[in-house]
């Protein structure tokens, strides 16, 4: 059984090394901590009551880190810190390599069990191996779902916080859940997510007036300036 596993490892060592390297790179980046007042137009800034700093919209104070984070996404227990404007891209790469590594491991184990019934017998009678197999499969599903979610967030220029707590965020109140005010199109969103230097932060985000005005004027999805259902 061990010889079969060793013989079918394939690219698994490369995937694990890539996952580990991406994880180390992720840990070395700060998420975009804000330590001084951000200059800009008053309507684009908010006052953090804890840090007493003027921070741009999309930033948030993390009560676990006790710091304000630019374009706050979420606090991640895997890295013991936040995911924000500076490390969201590195977090996505870590998810990608982790999905590949766990997926290859799960497929390899499934193939070994289906080829030789003796492998299934040895696995089921070894508690440690059985737990590792189950944990690997569950981890693959969990990480793969995270990868899909964060790929969608990158394509639409959203954060997890904005996606989940849409109606409770001050600068997004009054907007329907399907409205993504920072969406600049797939090409621009991906260019910002993939190619923007992590040193250029925080970005001065702004909710476009053409997104806000229709809803400020009482329009909705039934009756609005673009079409009418009645």
């Amino acid at each position: 059984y061990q010889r079969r596993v060793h013989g079918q490892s394939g690219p698994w060592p490369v995937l694990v090394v890539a996952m580990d390297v991406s994880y180390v790179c992720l840990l070395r980046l700060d998420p975009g901590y804000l330590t001084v007042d951000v200059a800009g137009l008053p309507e684009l800034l908010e006052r953090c009551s804890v840090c007493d700093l003027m921070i741009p919209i999309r930033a948030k104070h993390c009560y676990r880190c006790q710091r304000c984070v630019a374009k706050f996404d979420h606090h991640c227990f895997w890295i013991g810190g936040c995911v924000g404007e500076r490390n969201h891209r590195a977090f996505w790469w870590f998810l990608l390599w982790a999905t590949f590594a766990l997926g290859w491991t799960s497929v390899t184990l499934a193939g070994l069990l289906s080829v030789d019934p003796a492998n299934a017998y040895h696995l089921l009678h070894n508690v440690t191996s059985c737990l590792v197999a189950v944990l690997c499969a569950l981890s693959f599903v969990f990480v793969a779902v995270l990868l899909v979610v964060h790929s969608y967030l990158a394509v639409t220029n959203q954060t997890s916080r904005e996606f989940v707590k849409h109606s409770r965020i001050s600068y997004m109140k009054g907007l329907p859940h399907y409205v993504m005010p920072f969406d600049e199109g797939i090409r621009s969103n991906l260019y910002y997510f993939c190619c923007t230097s992590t040193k250029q932060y925080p970005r001065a985000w702004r909710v476009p007036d053409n997104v806000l005005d229709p809803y400020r004027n009482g329009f909705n999805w039934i009756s609005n300036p673009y079409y009418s259902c009645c």
Side-chain angles (χ1 to χ4, degrees):
Y1 175 67
Q2 292 178 348
R3 288 196 299 270
R4 286 178 179 269
V5 173
H6 179 74
Q8 298 188 25
S9 61
W12 185 81
V14 177
L15 295 176
V16 171
V17 170
M19 179 183 68
D20 291 341
V21 170
S22 64
Y23 183 70
V24 172
C25 292
L26 175 60
L27 293 179
R28 290 173 60 88
L29 285 172
D30 80 74
Y33 291 128
L34 302 172
T35 56
V36 296
D37 285 338
V38 176
L41 299 176
E43 62 268 22
L44 304 182
L45 303 175
E46 296 179 327
R47 171 69 67 178
C48 174
S49 59
V50 180
C51 296
D52 195 29
L53 294 175
M54 294 300 295
I55 60 176
I57 59 173
R58 308 192 82 182
K60 180 184 179 295
H61 183 85
C62 176
Y63 288 94
R64 292 186 178 90
C65 296
Q66 290 299 310
R67 306 280 291 275
C68 286
V69 180
K71 198 190 172 198
F72 177 85
D73 189 87
H74 70 286
H75 184 90
C76 178
F77 67 90
W78 283 357
I79 62 176
C82 292
V83 175
E85 190 163 7
R86 288 198 66 204
N87 66 349
H88 199 174
R89 178 168 63 224
F91 181 73
W92 185 89
W93 278 109
F94 167 67
L95 291 179
L96 178 70
W97 291 117
T99 299
F100 283 159
L102 291 169
W104 182 267
T105 304
S106 301
V107 170
T108 301
L109 288 175
L112 289 172
L113 296 179
S114 61
V115 169
D116 189 350
N119 291 332
Y121 175 82
H122 290 300
L123 179 63
L124 294 175
H125 285 75
N126 187 314
V127 177
T128 302
S129 298
C130 191
L131 290 176
V132 169
V134 172
L135 181 62
C136 181
L138 293 178
S139 299
F140 167 68
V141 173
F142 177 71
V143 174
V145 170
L146 275 181
L147 177 64
V148 171
V149 170
H150 282 273
S151 298
Y152 170 74
L153 295 177
V155 168
T156 57
N157 198 356
Q158 296 185 86
T159 64
S160 299
R161 174 173 174 254
E162 292 167 349
F163 182 74
V164 175
K165 300 182 178 180
H166 189 283
S167 61
R168 291 191 284 171
I169 299 176
S170 60
Y171 55 85
M172 301 184 74
K173 284 184 178 178
L175 296 178
H177 193 75
Y178 56 84
V179 173
M180 295 166 284
F182 303 103
D183 185 2
E184 300 174 352
I186 294 178
R187 180 181 298 178
S188 296
N189 293 340
L190 289 180
Y191 177 82
Y192 163 75
F193 188 84
C194 300
C195 303
T196 304
S197 172
T198 56
K199 297 180 180 179
Q200 298 175 1
Y201 86 99
R203 178 174 172 179
W205 296 100
R206 184 190 186 102
V207 180
D209 291 335
N210 63 338
V211 173
L212 289 176
D213 288 345
Y215 300 99
R216 285 172 175 167
N217 295 330
F219 293 111
N220 52 48
W221 68 275
I222 296 178
S223 176
N224 56 71
Y226 311 108
Y227 66 87
S228 178
C229 297
C230 302

